[in-house]
């Protein structure tokens, strides 16, 4: 039996990955399950596992093939391509057993990968409530791969299943991917399947193979072995620590049912914890789930009059807060400062209790931020600090010491990407880079890494020009705006450099970011900008305008800089402003000088304050929120930096 080249039955990386199979039932890959989207117009690969050296009959609609499983129990059949919209059923028989898969559909499959902004759920995106109301679109389907990693490439996904875009399920879809799929499906009439392979906070190195990273087998084994041992040690320590709270430790979070909000509560079994500070830094590494905080504070009769303001800083991720058993507020955002008004009726002279139910969905958890943001303030302005020791008790938690694996070379590629290469796809949409954008060196390296990753993924799918479109990083304030070195701007430049590869495209999003939030909520604009790239470049609809103004040339004319742009829709200024903002020059002394410009046709003219600039920049900032140049269709101009 011969497998297609990009499927490897057993992969070794110094260790044997998969043993020979001995199983009593037919097994199919998780992607080949009920409600799947099968890639149209490409040979259909059906594969799986059965008992070794056994005849396997595969029926795909009315087409039938019989193949033999090999010594490891693996088998594969290749069927002729299917047309878009064709309903597909699959029946596999072997050794008297039958496996049936129903309600599959031929369409286009796109992989949506990256970190948290691609992972970000539709239900948490701007406009989600309206979007999800009465939604029932079976032409859009989503398969979400759970966070997982491996020390070597594996053929099998850790989990996942296909769901159609209904009000019940679509809220759990990637917001960006949903809006991408919605627009593409509406314009083309082709069913769209999205495979979501994302891990918040992940670095690009984690999505690349050791070969693409230029590492040897020995080097990557050493890296992965070290991290695996560290994780095992962390997990053992946490499991031991959680024994003091029987029933708190669970394998997966269910409905946490504790109510510890009352004013009077026995707290003998509670531990102490310092606030503000994430609990990971206080001995609870890798703990996620529902944990309660409590603290008491004193008030006089005079303090109560008019109520109080409760300052709780930032809480990662979500909170519900009570004072003396009275709910006073809740917030679902890890980075918002909590200030809750507490009415006089909820207070009493003497000791008062604040109780906080903290929900941590992953990564850091707890009450953090600056000390001055934790306080009780009376109506008269008297302020008392709440920083210091609090009481702390888990309700339902699990230990996820694998959280740091999203930064480890090859770890996610091995488990969340490698199993996909057997499944034909139409293309990839990618939103990642934030984790590589906080250091100038890493931001510069990203240019080579990103292109190498694209090339490798295309090779693995045996599609040298597989469509690959990405989101250039949105604006985010890193509080480093006075420096000439701006890593986020450098990483955007590294992303743009990949446009030299064929069949690539980039959605500019500096105008729809949030300077104060690394997770901007407008995923609709982002998804639709990716969609128009695909509609133009992949689906051939050349009327779809997808690229805003891009730099063509810079010329020094007297005391002016004349900057010419390629722009199919001319030049315009956002919000009807009179001048173009976002330009800077660097003078010979290395000083940044901001300049305003005027639009003249497809040119921007900058009047120089200094006649000898050495560099000109546009939107070259981590958070270029004032950059306002766009085209007549509203697409923003691309950031750039040019030596003069």
């Amino acid at each position: 039996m011969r497998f297609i080249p990009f499927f490897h039955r057993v992969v070794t990386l110094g260790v044997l990955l998969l043993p020979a199979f001995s199983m009593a039932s037919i097994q199919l890959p998780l992607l080949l399950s009920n409600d799947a989207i099968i890639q149209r117009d490409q040979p259909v690969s059906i594969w799986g596992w059965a008992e070794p050296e056994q005849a396997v009959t595969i029926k795909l609609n009315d087409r039938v093939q019989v193949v033999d499983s090999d010594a490891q129990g693996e088998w594969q059949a290749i069927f002729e391509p299917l047309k878009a919209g064709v309903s597909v059923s699959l029946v596999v028989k072997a050794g008297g057993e039958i496996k049936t898969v129903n309600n599959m559909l031929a369409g286009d499959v796109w992989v949506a990968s990256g970190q948290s902004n691609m992972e970000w759920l539709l239900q948490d995106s701007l406009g989600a409530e309206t979007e999800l109301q009465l939604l029932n679109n079976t032409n859009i389907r989503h398969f979400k791969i759970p966070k997982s990693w491996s020390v070597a490439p594996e053929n099998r996904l850790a989990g996942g299943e296909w769901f159609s875009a209904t009000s019940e399920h679509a809220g759990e879809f990637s917001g960006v991917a949903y809006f991408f799929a919605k627009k593409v499906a509406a314009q083309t009439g082709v069913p769209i399947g999205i495979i979501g392979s994302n891990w918040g906070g992940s670095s690009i190195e984690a999505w690349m193979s050791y070969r693409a990273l230029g590492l040897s087998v020995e080097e990557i084994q050493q890296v992965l072995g070290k991290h695996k041992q560290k994780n095992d040690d962390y997990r053992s320590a946490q499991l031991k620590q959680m024994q003091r709270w029987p029933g708190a430790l669970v394998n997966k979070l269910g409905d946490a049912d504790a109510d510890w909000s009352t004013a009077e509560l026995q707290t003998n079994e509670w531990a102490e914890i310092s606030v503000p500070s994430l609990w990971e830094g206080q001995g609870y590494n890798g703990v996620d789930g529902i944990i309660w905080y409590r603290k008491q504070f004193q008030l006089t009769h005079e303090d109560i009059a008019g109520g109080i303001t409760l300052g709780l800083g930032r809480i990662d991720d979500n909170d519900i807060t009570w004072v003396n058993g009275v709910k006073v507020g809740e917030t679902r955002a890890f980075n918002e400062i909590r200030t809750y008004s507490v009415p006089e009726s909820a207070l009493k002279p003497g000791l008062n209790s604040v109780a906080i139910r903290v929900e941590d969905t992953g990564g850091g958890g707890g009450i953090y931020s600056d000390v001055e943001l934790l306080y009780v303030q009376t109506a008269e302005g008297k302020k008392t600090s709440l920083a210091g020791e609090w009481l702390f008790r888990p309700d339902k938690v699990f230990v996820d010491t694998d959280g740091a694996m999203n930064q480890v070379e090859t770890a996610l590629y091995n488990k969340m990407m490698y199993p996909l290469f057997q499944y034909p796809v139409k293309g990839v949409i990618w939103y990642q880079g934030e984790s590589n954008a906080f250091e100038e060196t890493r931001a510069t390296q990203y240019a080579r890494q990103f292109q190498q990753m694209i090339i490798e993924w295309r090779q693995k799918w045996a599609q040298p020009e597989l469509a690959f479109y990405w989101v250039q990083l949105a604006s985010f304030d890193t509080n480093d705006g006075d420096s000439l070195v701006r890593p986020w701007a450098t990483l955007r430049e590294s992303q743009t450099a990949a446009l030299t590869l064929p069949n690539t495209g980039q959605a500019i999003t500096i105008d729809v970011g949030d300077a104060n939030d690394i997770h901007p909520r407008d995923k609709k604009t982002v998804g639709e900008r990716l969609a128009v790239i695909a509609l133009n470049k992949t689906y051939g609809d050349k009327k779809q305008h997808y690229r805003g103004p891009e730099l063509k040339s810079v010329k020094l004319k007297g005391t002016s800089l004349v900057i010419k742009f390629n722009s199919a829709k001319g030049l315009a200024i956002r919000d009807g402003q009179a001048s173009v903002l976002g330009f800077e020059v660097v003078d010979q002394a290395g000083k940044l000088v901001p300049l305003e410009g005027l639009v003249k046709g497809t040119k921007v003219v900058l009047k120089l304050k200094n006649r000898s600039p050495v560099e000109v920049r546009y939107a070259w900032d981590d958070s270029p929120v004032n950059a306002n140049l766009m085209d007549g269709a509203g697409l923003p101009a691309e950031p750039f930096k040019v030596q003069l």
Side-chain angles (χ1 to χ4, degrees), residues 284-303:
Y284 298 95
N285 189 71
V287 175
D288 299 322
I290 308 299
I291 293 181
W292 287 71
Y293 284 71
R294 289 182 65 92
K295 191 174 181 67
Q296 293 183 315
F297 56 92
Q298 289 274 1
L299 293 175
T300 67
H301 282 284
E302 293 75 19
D303 294 336

Side-chain angles (χ1 to χ4, degrees), residues 23 67-68 90 116 172 192 247 317 344-345 375 447 578 600 614 632:
M23 57 185 63
V67 299
D68 291 329
L90 172 66
S116 54
E172 296 290 325
I192 301 296
D317 292 288
E344 184 175 341
S345 60
Y375 58 84
K600 294 186 177 181
V614 296

Side-chain angles (χ1 to χ4, degrees), residues 309-608:
T309 299
L310 186 66
L312 298 175
R314 296 180 175 89
I315 298 177
D316 192 343
D317 292 288
N318 311 312
D319 77 285
I320 306 175
T321 298
W322 294 261
V323 172
N324 295 330
V326 177
K327 182 180 173 182
V328 297
E330 64 178 299
T331 304
R332 294 190 61 82
F334 78 97
N335 61 338
E336 287 188 14
I337 297 173
R338 275 73 165 169
T339 52
Y340 297 140
S341 297
V342 184
E344 184 175 341
S345 60
L347 303 170
K348 60 183 180 180
L351 283 176
N352 292 259
S353 297
V354 56
I356 307 174
R357 181 186 188 271
V358 177
E359 178 188 16
D360 178 33
T361 60
I367 305 171
Y368 70 109
S369 204
D370 300 323
V371 170
E372 57 267 25
L373 295 177
L374 286 124
Y375 58 84
V376 169
Q377 184 169 327
T378 69
E380 297 298 319
K382 175 184 172 183
K383 186 178 284 190
T384 303
S385 176
L386 288 177
E389 296 302 310
W390 285 56
L391 293 177
F392 168 96
R393 183 175 177 179
D395 178 4
K396 291 291 186 293
V397 297
F398 65 96
V399 177
D400 179 19
T401 54
D402 291 340
M405 296 307 296
N406 60 1
Q407 290 285 318
V408 178
E409 294 92 330
T410 78
L412 310 190
Y413 168 87
N414 291 336
K415 189 65 175 177
M416 298 180 69
M417 188 54 58
Y418 189 84
L420 304 184
F421 296 137
Q422 172 73 350
Y423 201 73
V425 300
K426 189 71 170 180
V428 176
I429 54 175
W430 173 258
Y431 195 164
Q432 189 277 334
E434 294 92 339
S435 288
N436 291 79
F438 287 96
E439 299 174 9
E440 182 71 9
T441 300
R442 292 190 71 191
T444 301
Q445 291 172 342
Y446 194 92
R448 178 190 59 80
Q449 293 172 329
F450 188 34
Q451 292 181 55
Q452 192 59 46
M453 188 193 79
I454 295 171
I455 291 168
E456 178 179 54
W457 287 15
R458 287 173 164 178
Q459 289 172 343
K460 293 296 184 181
W461 263 300
Q463 294 179 251
E465 294 192 6
L466 179 72
F468 201 108
Y469 309 133
W470 63 88
V471 181
Q472 193 189 64
L473 293 190
S475 296
F476 178 64
D477 189 358
T478 60
N479 298 312
D480 198 23
D482 294 332
S483 172
L484 284 172
V485 177
R486 296 173 180 175
W488 277 56
T490 299
L491 194 129
R492 292 190 190 103
E493 182 181 52
S494 291
Q495 291 175 310
T496 301
L499 292 174
T500 57
L501 296 176
N503 207 19
T504 54
Q506 173 176 253
I508 307 298
T509 62
I510 56 173
D511 59 327
V512 292
D514 185 334
N516 299 311
D517 191 345
I518 202 169
H519 300 125
R521 301 302 193 267
D522 182 2
K523 302 306 185 190
K524 184 174 188 288
T525 301
V526 178
E528 290 183 344
R529 285 184 182 172
L530 286 169
V532 293
I533 299 173
L535 288 167
N536 182 297
K537 296 174 72 70
T538 300
Y539 294 94
D541 184 356
K542 299 307 178 184
K543 293 181 181 179
Q544 296 287 337
H545 175 60
Y546 71 90
R547 190 168 187 177
E550 56 175 311
L551 177 67
K552 183 176 182 180
S553 64
V554 179
K555 292 184 179 180
L556 182 61
K557 292 188 176 181
T559 59
S560 296
L561 271 178
V562 179
I563 303 173
K564 191 170 184 179
F565 290 86
N566 291 319
S567 181
K569 299 287 184 178
L571 297 182
I573 304 175
R574 190 176 65 237
D575 299 329
Q577 298 177 61
S579 300
V580 178
L581 305 177
F583 281 94
E584 298 171 311
V585 293
V586 181
D587 64 19
Q588 290 182 336
K591 181 181 178 181
L592 277 172
V593 181
L595 297 176
E596 295 186 9
L598 297 175
V599 170
K600 294 186 177 181
T602 57
K603 301 175 183 177
V604 172
V605 179
L606 304 175
K607 196 70 174 177
L608 292 172

